[in-house]
């Protein structure tokens, strides 16, 4: 019992000490509160301090917004810059693709003709074994000069394929034939063609039919012939107009309007010469050349003289590459036609292309190739030979040129009926010639 009493007394003593300590702490807290109340009657944090805090907070918030807006503008500008760079790179890649496609096309011309450009002018070559030597046939192309005609250069960049394009000149006199011309070109699927409009009528016709068209800048010396001249006069203009196409670095397949397209001609070119032309010849001898023996009985033993003959190239359908000899040919022909008003452009074209150098005259050093007469067919071959031969009638030419006959429009429609619409008698009622 005594032990239990001592424990109770010790616990009461401990509680008393704790209670006194709590009371002391309370008294000290009250005294400190009074001191702070006396020294800071407006409280520990004043209203001015609150405004200062709010101002600082607003400034921080605004600076964050400005910073955010600046970051957004910078991001937009950066994106715009990236888009412009991407467009430039895309344009460069397109040019590289075109260049690579052109090189690939040239590399794939495995048809037995020269496939390489001139390596270096003046470079010496070692002669190979007998029978293996081949001369360089293909002249290098000129350096394009877009300053010659920037507007035409822009059109050609959009229309041409692999730097190649079909070009036709036309005025209102040939409106009906031109309609047949571009209708069949579209049907075959040849996008790289261009009409050089010589008057308003042709320009409007092409635009209304979604045909690529180019109207030359006004030129009084040319326009008077273009608007009023007949077919021969207009044909003479093409040599002057073609020069700009070559200077811009484009190969041109020049076409008259009296031509019906049945296949894509670009699939059947060799491209190994400066000029590749269809022939006015009507068989292998006349189209590709032959040895013609001339007989002069008065010469006795030497009465027979051998001559080399070939029928002329047709100046209404030929492929010409942008080389120096090609441009020289155009200059020569255009000059002679301007100085000899009664001359025929086709005759002058062939004379300048074939006549060799001789005393008082420097011949043109241009490579040339004759096109296959059954693929690039003139109307004499068609009406005198092909339509009468059951085997030849089954062949489908690339083009048919109605160059030998005056009733061009009627025969053009008949050619379409025969080869496109399958009317086997469409050509029968026409005479062989123009009688």
């Amino acid at each position: 019992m005594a032990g239990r009493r001592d424990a109770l007394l010790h616990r009461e003593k401990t509680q008393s000490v704790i209670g006194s300590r709590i009371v002391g702490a309370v008294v000290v807290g009250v005294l400190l509160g009074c001191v702070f109340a006396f020294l800071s009657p407006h409280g520990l944090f004043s209203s001015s301090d609150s405004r200062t805090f709010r101002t600082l907070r607003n400034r921080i918030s605004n600076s964050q917004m400005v910073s955010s807006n600046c970051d957004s503008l910078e991001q937009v500008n950066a994106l715009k810059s990236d888009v412009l760079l991407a467009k430039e790179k895309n344009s460069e890649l397109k040019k590289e693709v075109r260049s690579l496609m052109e090189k690939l096309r040239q590399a794939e011309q495995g048809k037995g003709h020269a496939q390489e450009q001139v390596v270096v002018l003046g470079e010496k070559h070692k002669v190979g074994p007998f029978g293996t030597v081949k001369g360089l046939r293909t002249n290098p192309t000129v350096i394009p000069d877009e300053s010659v005609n920037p507007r035409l250069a822009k059109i050609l960049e959009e229309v041409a394929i692999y730097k190649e394009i079909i070009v036709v000149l036309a005025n209102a006199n040939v409106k009906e034939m031109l309609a047949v011309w571009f209708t069949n070109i579209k049907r075959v699927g040849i996008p790289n063609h261009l009409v050089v409009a010589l008057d308003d009528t042709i320009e409007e016709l092409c635009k209304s039919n979604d045909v690529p068209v180019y109207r030359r800048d006004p030129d009084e010396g040319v326009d008077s012939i273009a608007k009023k001249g007949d077919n021969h006069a207009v044909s003479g203009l093409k040599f002057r107009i073609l020069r700009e196409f070559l200077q811009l670095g484009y190969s041109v397949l020049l076409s008259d309007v009296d031509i019906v397209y049945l296949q894509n001609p670009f699939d059947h070119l060799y491209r190994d010469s400066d000029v590749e032309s269809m022939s006015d010849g009507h068989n292998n001898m006349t189209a590709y050349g032959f040895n013609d023996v001339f007989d002069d009985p008065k010469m006795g033993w030497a009465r027979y003289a051998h001559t080399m003959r070939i029928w002329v190239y047709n100046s209404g359908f030929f492929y010409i590459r942008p080389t120096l000899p090609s441009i020289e040919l155009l200059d020569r022909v255009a000059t002679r036609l301007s100085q000899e008003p009664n001359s025929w452009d086709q005759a002058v074209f062939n004379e300048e292309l074939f006549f060799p150098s001789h005393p008082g005259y420097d011949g043109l050093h241009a490579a040339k190739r004759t096109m296959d007469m059954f693929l690039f067919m003139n109307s004499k071959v068609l009406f005198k030979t092909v339509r009468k031969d059951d085997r030849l009638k089954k062949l489908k030419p690339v083009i048919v040129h109605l160059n030998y006959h005056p009733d061009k429009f009627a025969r053009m429609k008949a050619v379409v009926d025969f080869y496109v619409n399958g009317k086997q008698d469409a050509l029968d009622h026409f005479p062989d010639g123009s009688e």
Side-chain angles (χ1 to χ4, degrees):
M1 292 293 288
R4 185 177 178 184
R5 184 177 61 247
D6 291 340
L8 292 171
L9 289 172
H10 177 74
R11 185 173 62 182
E12 291 177 355
K13 184 178 180 179
T14 302
Q15 290 176 345
S16 176
V17 172
I18 294 171
S20 63
R21 288 180 180 178
I22 292 172
V23 171
V26 170
V27 172
V28 172
V30 170
L31 290 173
L32 287 174
C34 292
V35 173
F36 278 115
F38 177 78
L39 293 177
S40 300
H42 300 293
L44 184 62
F45 298 102
S46 66
S47 61
S48 62
D49 292 333
S50 299
R51 286 195 298 270
T52 302
F53 287 146
R54 284 197 297 269
T55 302
L56 288 172
R57 184 180 62 189
N58 291 336
R59 287 181 179 176
I60 292 171
S61 177
N62 290 335
S63 65
Q64 288 176 344
M65 291 175 65
V66 170
S67 176
S68 177
N69 290 335
C70 290
D71 291 342
S72 298
L73 289 174
E74 290 178 358
Q75 289 176 355
V76 170
N77 291 332
L79 287 173
K80 288 182 178 179
S81 178
D82 291 341
V83 169
L84 290 175
L85 289 173
K87 286 183 178 179
E88 291 177 359
K89 289 181 179 179
N90 187 42
S91 178
E92 292 176 359
L93 287 172
K94 284 183 178 179
K95 290 181 180 179
E96 290 181 7
V97 168
R98 287 185 179 181
S99 177
L100 290 172
M101 290 295 292
E102 172 65 12
K103 291 179 180 179
L104 178 63
R105 180 188 60 76
Q106 292 179 355
E108 290 177 346
Q109 292 177 17
K111 297 183 179 180
H113 62 275
Q115 298 182 8
E116 299 178 354
Q117 299 285 348
V118 175
V119 181
V120 179
L121 294 177
E123 181 181 349
K124 294 181 179 179
H125 299 272
K126 185 177 180 180
V127 177
F130 180 83
T132 65
V133 177
K134 299 291 182 182
L136 296 174
R137 293 170 173 81
T138 308
N139 284 306
T141 56
V142 298
I143 299 174
D145 182 8
E146 292 189 0
S147 65
V148 171
N149 191 330
R151 186 164 65 89
L152 178 59
K154 185 177 181 180
I155 294 174
L156 292 176
E157 186 176 356
E158 295 175 354
V159 179
I161 297 177
Y162 305 142
K163 304 287 282 189
E164 294 179 324
I165 191 165
I166 298 174
V167 175
V168 63
L169 279 66
N171 61 15
N173 294 336
V174 295
K175 182 179 178 180
E176 290 182 331
M177 286 191 292
L178 181 64
V180 177
W181 184 89
F182 64 64
T183 297
N184 282 278
I185 276 188
K186 287 184 175 183
R187 180 186 54 76
V188 173
I190 309 171
N192 49 329
H193 62 277
L194 181 69
V195 176
V196 178
L198 301 177
D199 53 37
D200 295 337
T201 300
I202 296 302
E203 185 177 16
E204 293 172 1
L205 174 68
C206 292
K207 289 181 177 180
S208 63
N209 287 276
D210 196 25
V211 175
V213 62
Y214 165 63
R215 183 73 182 274
R216 299 181 65 257
D217 293 332
D219 186 335
E220 185 60 31
V222 174
D223 293 343
S224 58
I225 300 174
K227 294 178 180 179
K228 301 177 182 178
D230 58 14
N231 289 344
H232 285 301
V234 171
S235 294
L237 292 178
K238 61 193 173 192
F239 298 99
R240 292 177 59 180
I241 295 174
L242 274 182
R243 194 184 203 275
E244 291 184 345
F245 287 81
L246 300 193
Q247 283 182 277
L248 293 172
Y250 288 84
S251 295
V252 176
L253 184 56
L254 184 80
S255 173
D256 279 350
V257 294
D258 58 339
I259 293 177
V260 177
Y261 286 77
L262 302 169
Q263 298 185 60
N264 191 331
F266 292 113
D267 295 336
H268 301 273
L269 298 175
Y270 284 80
R271 301 175 177 88
D272 65 340
S273 304
D274 299 297
V275 178
E276 194 168 343
S277 177
M278 72 172 296
S279 172
D280 270 4
H282 59 93
N283 55 31
N284 286 344
M285 289 176 59
T286 57
Y288 309 135
F290 63 104
N291 181 4
D292 186 30
V293 179
F294 177 78
D295 184 11
D296 184 2
K298 293 183 179 180
M299 288 298 297
W301 174 80
R303 63 183 294 177
Y304 300 110
H306 290 258
T307 67
M308 300 306 301
R309 297 187 61 184
I310 186 173
W311 285 33
V312 296
Y313 282 176
N314 191 290
S315 62
F317 190 86
F318 61 87
Y319 177 80
I320 186 167
R321 295 176 59 250
T323 65
L324 290 178
S326 296
I327 295 175
E328 183 183 359
L329 171 65
L330 298 180
D331 288 351
R332 287 187 177 208
V333 176
T335 299
R336 281 190 55 185
L337 292 175
S338 65
Q339 297 174 351
E340 306 168 12
N342 295 324
S343 58
W344 182 27
D345 69 284
Q346 181 159 290
V348 174
F349 174 72
N350 279 271
E351 288 171 3
E352 293 298 334
L353 193 56
F354 283 96
F355 281 177
S357 298
H358 56 264
Y361 176 80
D362 290 329
L364 182 71
H365 296 274
K368 45 196 172 291
R369 169 181 283 274
T370 306
M371 293 177 173
D372 188 316
M373 67 173 182
F374 288 115
L375 292 180
F376 300 91
M377 191 182 300
N378 62 58
S379 56
K380 183 173 183 177
V381 172
L382 175 62
F383 286 97
K384 287 200 69 174
T385 306
V386 172
R387 67 168 176 171
K388 301 174 182 179
D389 189 305
D390 291 336
R391 291 176 301 173
L392 294 177
K393 286 171 68 175
K394 296 178 182 178
L395 297 176
K396 187 176 184 179
V398 177
I399 61 107
V400 174
H401 190 179
L402 283 303
N403 59 316
Y404 269 101
H405 300 88
D407 50 342
K408 299 178 182 297
F409 184 55
R411 293 190 186 237
M412 286 180 74
K413 291 191 296 182
V415 169
V416 173
D417 282 339
F418 181 77
Y419 284 107
V420 178
N421 300 326
K423 296 182 180 180
Q424 295 300 307
D425 60 346
L427 305 174
D428 295 348
H429 66 281
F430 291 98
D432 288 353
S434 57
E435 66 275 6

